[in-house]
Amino acid sequence: MPPIKNPEVRGSPMPPEAETSSSAFLSVERRGAVALLHLARPEKRNALNDALITALGAFFAAPPEGVRVAIVAGHGAHFSAGLDLSDITEKDATAGMFHSRLWHRAFRQIAEGTLPVIAVLHGAVIGGGLELASACHVRVAERSAYYALPEGQRGIFVGGGGSVRLPRLIGLSRMTDMMLTGRVFSAEEGQTIGLSNYLVEDGAGLALALDLAAKVAANAPLTNFAVLHALPRIAEADREGGFLAETLMAGISVADQEAKARLHAFLEGRAAKIAP
Ligand code: 1HE
């Protein structure tokens, strides 16, 4: 694997199974086709500073060859306390806008990049931490997880894409409530309203995420591409444009050699059946 060029995320010439790369605030471990990323600032509750945001963006902009899925989790007792508030105390409006754009670029590398990304959430999933979680494609929450958007209490606004992604996830009304009243949702409530896709006992999140990652990695690459890149656009397109885009994607998918091999495998009794 070529070393990752960004100095915040260093590659390593070790064999894939043992391969790790890390920066001061982001640890990256390779487990076969899965890259396991940990926010690694537990002493600051994984508060997201510029270096950490840059390291995340750099990883997802150029994932190591052979990696097919990523997991994002947090070291310590919390997933993330959100924006590192000390980063913005001296910024003027222009610097604040560029700061938000830095987050947008990094999180778009996650949401619209080449890898399906599974987040493992525990403890505080606050502010920018929730924005990071919402940029991932699948969310596994442990029972300790809780969700808040205390921007109103800090006098600021979301800046990491939260106002675009969170209303689509939980509805505008719930996000408005969180931001106006400081409402905190528990893990159970988060599961009910759609913040998480899976809810597990404390300490069980990573095992489930690895299990899910193996399933994602076993899909045809073209299907994963379509789910990441075509599906969100079709879901937001006008009906007729959506139907047409779906037709085009469907046509391309059936022509894929991988699809042909998989279809024949099923028809010849060589593929697993779908069990309840
Ligand atoms: C921080 C941050 C932070 C902790 N920025 N330094 N986010 C918030 O408003 C959440 C603020 N944090 C908290 O409410 C609490 O820290 C926690 C509930 C997450 C954890 O509490 P606890 O008791 O385990 O830890 P602590 O003692 O509060 O924090 C440990 C250290 O981390 C301490 O620093 P220390 O030098 O005194 O040890 C804290 O100051 C530091 N710390 N959270 C900076 N967020 C793109 S826009 C996004 C906008 C937002 O994200 S707004 C939400 C910001």
Side-chain angles (χ1 to χ4, degrees):
M1 175 202 116
I4 299 166
K5 293 194 180 60
N6 188 296
E8 293 298 336
V9 184
R10 292 182 295 277
S12 136
M14 284 189 279
E17 291 303 323
E19 189 175 328
T20 57
S21 61
S22 58
S23 72
F25 305 119
L26 182 69
S27 81
V28 181
E29 183 189 337
R30 175 87 179 261
R31 297 196 187 176
V34 181
L36 179 53
L37 282 69
H38 273 97
L39 310 176
R41 258 194 116 189
E43 70 288 355
K44 293 287 182 187
R45 309 311 184 247
N46 295 325
L48 300 165
N49 60 9
D50 286 1
L52 182 38
I53 294 293
T54 302
L56 277 168
F59 176 85
F60 285 102
E65 214 179 303
V67 168
R68 298 200 52 202
V69 191
I71 295 173
V72 177
H75 278 321
H78 302 281
F79 176 71
S80 173
L83 165 68
D84 186 328
L85 296 166
S86 69
D87 266 9
I88 55 164
T89 52
E90 307 308 318
K91 289 198 192 308
D92 62 14
T94 308
M97 286 189 280
F98 279 119
H99 180 258
S100 168
R101 283 314 219 185
L102 173 79
W103 282 54
H104 285 179
R105 280 196 302 279
F107 288 4
R108 287 182 81 134
Q109 296 289 359
I110 296 175
E112 297 157 32
T114 55
L115 301 179
V117 186
I118 300 170
V120 179
L121 309 174
H122 74 294
V125 184
I126 293 180
L130 183 52
E131 294 184 278
L132 169 59
S134 71
C136 299
H137 303 103
V138 177
R139 282 161 292 280
V140 175
E142 297 186 351
R143 288 207 183 267
S144 66
Y146 62 97
Y147 309 94
L149 293 171
E151 280 81 351
Q153 292 156 60
R154 309 287 174 240
I156 56 176
F157 191 60
V158 284
S163 57
V164 174
R165 296 194 180 95
L166 284 166
R168 286 167 167 82
L169 207 54
I170 61 172
L172 175 60
S173 168
R174 288 198 184 94
M175 180 171 178
T176 303
D177 183 17
M178 291 176 84
M179 293 202 69
L180 287 181
T181 70
R183 182 169 185 168
V184 177
F185 283 118
S186 67
E188 286 75 15
E189 289 170 322
Q191 177 70 13
T192 303
I193 66 176
L195 277 173
S196 58
N197 303 95
Y198 299 86
L199 179 60
V200 296
E201 296 307 317
D202 288 343
L206 186 56
L208 176 59
L210 285 164
D211 196 34
L212 296 172
K215 292 178 180 171
V216 174
N219 289 339
L222 182 62
T223 305
N224 283 351
F225 168 85
V227 172
L228 259 54
H229 292 271
L231 179 59
R233 282 160 191 86
I234 293 170
E236 300 208 358
D238 64 286
R239 282 172 61 87
E240 294 311 314
F243 282 130
L244 178 62
E246 181 186 273
T247 287
L248 297 173
M249 199 65 247
I252 291 169
S253 72
V254 296
D256 192 46
Q257 288 309 313
E258 175 95 21
K260 295 194 185 310
R262 288 170 181 244
L263 295 170
H264 283 299
F266 177 77
L267 294 170
E268 291 156 18
R270 290 183 282 111
K273 294 185 185 181
I274 309 303

